[in-house]
């Protein structure tokens, strides 16, 4: 199970998910863009936290329980409306995690470009953390979360221009064994479905 996310990414995704508070929404977009484009380290950290939130949203009670209590209090104080909404309706966590996954997808497949023209990409250890969270999410019980992870994995793994070198299939030795293992999981149809969907997408997106 991937680690629990920090409070900062919870607040960020909540603000990006709602355009009701325009000023907060604009501020969140600015914070996201700054975190993604400041340095390879901040880029990798935000991608990692987004992947943790996506994976953890499948079992939100377990995720919140594993979070640092101080972090949880920070989040509830900073964004009481969202915290209350998610507490009252646990199904909203799936939408929340899906949003985190879509932000991650955008950051990985359309990464910011440095002043010298080079696009940012995941480096170690963030690359390993994100890959582990993506593979974990393929076995989640919610199809919405599996679909986002599957798309990110397949598109990155089959990318001819290797927009994310660490996620390219040749640089990801754990990918195929993990997919094959999941395909054979008769007791976990969610994992089998996630793996099958990913294999199909890789075959569709890969070079002819």
């Amino acid at each position: 199970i991937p680690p629990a996310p920090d409070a900062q990414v919870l607040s960020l995704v909540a603000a990006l998910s709602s355009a009701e508070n325009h000023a907060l929404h604009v501020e969140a977009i600015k914070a996201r863009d700054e975190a993604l484009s400041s340095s390879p380290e901040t880029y990798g950290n935000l991608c990692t936290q987004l992947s943790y939130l996506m994976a953890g949203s499948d079992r939100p009670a377990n995720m919140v329980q594993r979070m640092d209590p101080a972090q949880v209090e920070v989040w509830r104080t900073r964004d009481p409306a969202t915290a209350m909404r998610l507490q009252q309706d646990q199904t909203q966590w799936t939408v929340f995690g899906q949003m985190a996954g879509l932000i991650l997808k955008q950051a990985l497949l359309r990464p910011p470009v440095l002043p010298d023209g080079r696009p940012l990409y995941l480096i170690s250890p963030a690359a390993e953390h994100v890959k582990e969270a993506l593979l974990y999410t393929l076995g989640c019980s919610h199809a919405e979360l599996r679909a986002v992870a599957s798309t990110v994995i397949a598109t990155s793994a089959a990318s001819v221009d290797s927009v994310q070198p660490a996620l390219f299939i040749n640089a990801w030795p754990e990918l195929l064994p993990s997919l094959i293992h999941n395909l054979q999981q008769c007791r976990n149809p969610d994992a089998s479905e996630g793996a099958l969907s990913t294999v199909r997408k890789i075959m569709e997106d890969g070079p002819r």
Side-chain angles (χ1 to χ4, degrees):
I1 300 177
D6 62 26
Q8 189 173 359
V9 76
L10 289 171
S11 298
L12 178 65
V13 172
L16 290 171
S17 302
S18 175
E20 296 162 3
N21 187 330
H22 180 69
L24 184 63
H25 187 71
V26 171
E27 184 180 333
I29 292 175
K30 182 180 178 182
R32 177 202 61 188
D33 293 345
E34 286 181 354
L36 289 174
S37 60
S38 295
S39 70
E41 290 73 25
T42 58
Y43 171 76
N45 180 62
L46 181 54
C47 288
T48 298
Q49 293 299 323
L50 288 167
S51 72
Y52 289 169
L53 177 53
M54 174 183 65
S57 294
D58 192 55
R59 299 170 60 194
N62 176 274
M63 177 182 68
V64 174
Q65 191 174 36
R66 290 186 293 112
M67 287 181 67
D68 180 342
Q71 289 276 326
V72 175
E73 190 58 34
V74 167
W75 169 52
R76 287 175 175 163
T77 302
R78 187 181 297 169
D79 193 358
T82 300
M84 181 64 69
R85 187 172 74 250
L86 292 171
Q87 184 176 351
Q88 292 175 342
D89 185 0
Q90 292 280 299
T91 63
Q92 288 298 309
W93 275 105
T94 304
V95 179
F96 207 59
Q98 186 180 24
M99 182 65 178
L102 292 172
I103 299 170
L104 174 66
K105 174 185 172 183
Q106 179 76 8
L108 292 176
L109 303 182
R110 295 180 181 274
V113 177
L114 294 169
D116 62 7
R118 291 179 299 120
L120 280 167
Y121 55 85
L122 290 176
I123 58 176
S124 186
E128 283 67 40
H129 297 328
V130 171
K131 288 192 286 188
E132 289 169 2
L134 286 169
L135 289 176
Y136 176 87
T137 307
L138 284 185
C140 285
S141 60
H142 293 90
E144 300 92 335
L145 302 177
R146 295 198 305 272
V148 176
S150 178
T151 298
V152 173
I153 291 172
T155 307
S156 301
S159 176
V160 178
D161 59 1
S162 299
V163 65
Q164 290 294 335
L167 273 61
F168 186 55
I169 193 166
N170 291 348
W172 194 347
E174 304 88 359
L175 177 58
L176 290 181
S178 177
L179 293 176
I180 293 171
H181 174 75
N182 283 354
L183 286 170
Q184 299 170 339
Q185 291 298 300
C186 299
R187 297 181 181 178
N188 188 347
D190 294 329
S192 297
E193 190 279 333
L196 182 60
S197 175
T198 305
V199 170
R200 284 174 175 163
K201 289 173 184 174
I202 289 174
M203 294 177 69
E204 291 171 359
D205 297 345
R208 305 294 181 196

